[in-house]
Amino acid sequence: MERGATEMVARGTKNPQAYDVIVLGAGAGGLTVAVGAAKVGKRVALIERGPIGGDCTNVGCVPSKTLIHLAAHGADCSPATILERVRERRDRLRADEEAWIDGLDAVDVIRGSAHFASAREVEVTTASGRTDRLRAGTIVIATGSRPSRLHVDGLPASRTLTNESLFELTDVPRHLVVVGAGAVGTEMAFAFRSLGCHVTVVQRSGRVLTGFDPHAGDAIAGRMRDAGIDVRLGAVPQRFDETDRTLTIAREDGLHGLHDVDAVLLAVGRRPNVDAGLEAAGVRYDASGIPTDTVGRTNVRGVRAVGDVVAGSAATHDANAAGRRVVRSIALPWLPAGAAPVRPRSVFADPEVAAVGPSEEDLAARYAPELLVTMHVDLRDTDRGYTMGLDVGFVRLTALRLSGRLVAATIVAPGAGEMISLLTWALQRRVRLWSLTGLVFPYPVLSDAIKKGADAFAFGTLPRIASDAKTYARHRWRRPRTSRDLGR
């Protein structure tokens, strides 16, 4: 029996167990809130129906990044052995997290499915079928998300994979089709190609990594092809024929058959888990998740939400950061909510891709094009890039003309996920590229491309500073004209 369950059995559903904070879900966001709230003196109930750690530990970041690492560095191991080691490392971490959270005196871990009974109470149904009721002044929804499904006529369940089943493979398929070229699809395409699979990527749109700068998508698509990955853009799977294991895809130029397909990985996005009876609490949500403010507050007083279940939040670091803001708000409720922090995004492809700031489309809606200036530095033009023999990779910095305030950045490089932190800080602190020209980097490092970009801005601006000042004054506060403004 879980800690904290004995008293609830005695009280049943008529006299609910009282807590300061109830957290629904023990993924990255839920754990952050539960542990943080306990550390500031709150009595916490943490409810989880699955393994501790949620998607990140069990079917997401931890196994996927372990697989990426071992696939690149495990040449002395068979693919089956690598997959086994991925599970071993994941399971070891899961056990450590289970023991850690169970050892916290101020947190009662309750195994079961939770549903709101009201805005202040939840009912928990355990695996044995017992239902108990809990009450708290603050309830935090951290129920995560699940893979979106795509129906393909004739495709059997035995050949269908998602991130929830992928890491249970005991050996690699000979031919893996990856449907979707976002973060998950791109990462796994490279990883399974490294393990010796024939990999085909089927992407509905005309480029990969549509959430990133098009230059990044083009670079990664080129690296995929160089690695022997068959990339089919503008394609949609139609049907699967089990007799000859052919997946038929539709493109503008007609139907095409992918033959001898052993497995199909569906990596077409995720759906928020909003099935915790939110209607009973009056919490608003839609297909994208639960809208919140910067400290996780929903439309219902006392009900918060963090992690993948929140609209616009889809990364572990987002969930962790949001959880910290929720804890601060619970501990110091009189502090203003403030603005949300700048959040970077990354894909651990080969090479890695990392970005921060608005997309090109969002920038175009926010600023007049005359106000923006972009610096592009190829890594081959840095000394470290030369010594590494890099032919793919770059740093792109977009800043406001004249002032040099950084507004967006994209990096394609080995270790791009590590390099983006400096630029995330720069956006958060509204740093100008003029300041970055004075930074001293160790020699030689790929991050020198950031300084080269800042230098390019400075030396490009100085000769035309008068004209740039006029352009800045003319366009800085002028809303750009869009197709909507023009009635199109």
Side-chain angles (χ1 to χ4, degrees), residues 143-157:
T143 47
S145 63
R146 59 186 180 275
S148 296
R149 294 284 179 168
L150 178 69
H151 176 73
V152 180
D153 286 341
L155 181 64

Side-chain angles (χ1 to χ4, degrees), residues 33 61 120 192 222 229 246 320 331 358 374 399 445 468:
V33 173
C61 306
R120 293 291 179 271
F192 276 83
I229 298 171
T246 296
N320 182 274
T374 297
V445 291
D468 276 5

Side-chain angles (χ1 to χ4, degrees), residues 462-483:
L462 287 172
R464 58 170 191 263
I465 197 163
S467 63
D468 276 5
K470 292 178 181 178
T471 302
Y472 183 89
R474 185 180 307 120
H475 296 288
R476 176 61 184 93
W477 293 277
R478 179 179 297 177
R479 183 172 178 267
R481 298 181 74 189
T482 65
S483 58

